């Protein structure tokens, strides 16, 4: 009866119940590797024909891990922006964030997931990375975001010691070495930066897409950053749209609120550029070209101490190729991506320093003058 068959099966073909039970039993007991399920009761009605061998995921990942271990040291650092000891240290920090199954194993080794995520932030295409690591491209970003979330928790290295006088003294000593003791009291340099991104959807911004279109003609995500003399990020803020003036975005940052509330000791100050107001603990250069010798000298020493924030932006973009082109990730995920890249930036400076040789890990990957930073 065709009507009864259609009621029982969506495809309109009746299959013997015992055949289906045999197939499900074989599947549940993992005996599907070298079997062929062909019904000998009613072969002309059977829908199921399974042949071949189920892939061994454990052996597949073992081969990938061996390939990772065989990468030469210099190439390893260029690929992942970390040397092997730093990579293993980060792996140990985030390992406990990943659950194990009943056998104590994981579906994908965390080491492979970390390598995939680092290649992504280093500028690799998700399709190329998925192909190279034998990764399912449809679940690629799931692993990447899990790695970034765990790294954001474990790499807690962006902190402005506004209430710690001893640490503020250390920051001031680093700045004094740059300007040879001139303009004492500087503990940080600040500026704004905009990273290029794809046009966000109206749904992600409640229709206010225009606020993220910059005066330079692209969609971007804005960040206010404050760094020390080593180009390490001490504080970052991403609270305003990219079309907002730097001075307005700064007023809403946590560091600005702390200074206004008197938490920063009066012996210290931060330096900014001419887009910001000049105040007692927030110094910015005098504007104009025809300045007297005193104002011009002040500007020179202030800008000498402020150059470290420009270096920090340059190093960040040079190292992490995800910023070389418009970011093509979900809008709500962009802050996490930027936060983790800044934390990895600090992690790398703590490990390798910030000299020319230490930051040239991406040489050959980036084309000078073609970054997406303004």
């Amino acid at each position: 009866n065709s009507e009864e068959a259609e009621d029982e099966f969506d495809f309109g073909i009746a299959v013997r119940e015992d055949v289906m039970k045999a197939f499900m039993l074989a599947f549940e007991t993992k005996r599907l590797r070298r079997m062929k399920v062909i019904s000998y009761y009613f072969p002309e009605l059977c829908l199921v024909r399974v042949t071949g061998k189920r892939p061994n995921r454990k052996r597949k990942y073992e081969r990938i891990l061996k390939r990772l271990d065989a990468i030469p040291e210099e190439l390893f650092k260029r690929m992942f922006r970390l040397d092997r000891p730093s990579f293993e240290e980060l792996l140990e920090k985030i390992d406990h964030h990943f659950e194990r199954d009943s056998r104590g194993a994981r579906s994908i080794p965390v080491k492979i997931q970390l390598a995939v995520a680092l290649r992504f932030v280093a500028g690799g295409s998700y399709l190329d990375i998925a192909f190279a690591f034998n990764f399912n491209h449809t679940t690629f970003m799931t692993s990447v975001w899990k790695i970034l979330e765990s790294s954001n928790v474990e790499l807690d290295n962006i902190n402005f010691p506004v209430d710690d006088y001893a640490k503020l003294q250390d920051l001031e000593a680093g700045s004094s070495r740059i300007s040879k003791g001139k303009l004492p009291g500087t503990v940080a340099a600040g500026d704004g930066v905009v990273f290029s991104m794809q046009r966000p959807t109206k749904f992600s911004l409640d229709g206010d897409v225009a606020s993220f279109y910059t005066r330079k003609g692209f969609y971007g995500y804005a960040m206010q950053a404050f760094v020390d003399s080593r180009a390490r990020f001490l504080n970052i803020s991403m609270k305003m749209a990219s079309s907002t003036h730097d001075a307005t975005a700064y007023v809403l940052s946590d560091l600005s609120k702390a200074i206004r509330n008197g938490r920063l000791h009066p012996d210290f100050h931060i330096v900014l550029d001419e887009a910001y107001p000049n105040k007692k603990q927030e110094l910015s250069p005098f504007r104009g070209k025809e300045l007297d010798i005193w104002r011009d000298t002040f500007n020179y020493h202030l800008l000498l101490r402020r150059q470290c924030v420009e270096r920090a932006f340059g190093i960040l973009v040079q190292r992490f190729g995800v910023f070389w082109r418009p970011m093509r990730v979900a809008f709500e995920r962009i802050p996490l991506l930027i936060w983790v890249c800044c934390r990895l930036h600090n992690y790398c400076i703590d490990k390798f320093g910030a000299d020319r040789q230490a930051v040239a890990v991406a040489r050959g990957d980036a084309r000078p003058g073609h970054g997406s930073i303004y």
Side-chain angles (χ1 to χ4, degrees), residues 185-230:
T186 303
V187 292
D191 201 359
V193 64
V194 178
F195 299 102
S196 178
M197 67 177 180
Q198 66 179 349
R199 184 184 187 275
T201 64
K202 293 182 179 180
F203 302 103
S204 59
L205 296 172
D206 293 329
D208 190 18
V209 176
S211 295
F212 287 83
Y213 191 78
T214 70
R215 61 184 176 84
K216 296 188 177 180
F218 63 92
Y219 290 96
Y221 207 93
M223 176 179 76
Q224 293 285 309
F226 306 88
V227 308
D228 63 12
S229 59
R230 299 173 59 205

Side-chain angles (χ1 to χ4, degrees), residues 2-10:
S2 59
E3 293 182 358
E4 293 179 358
E6 288 178 357
D7 290 339
E8 186 175 358
F9 299 98
D10 292 338

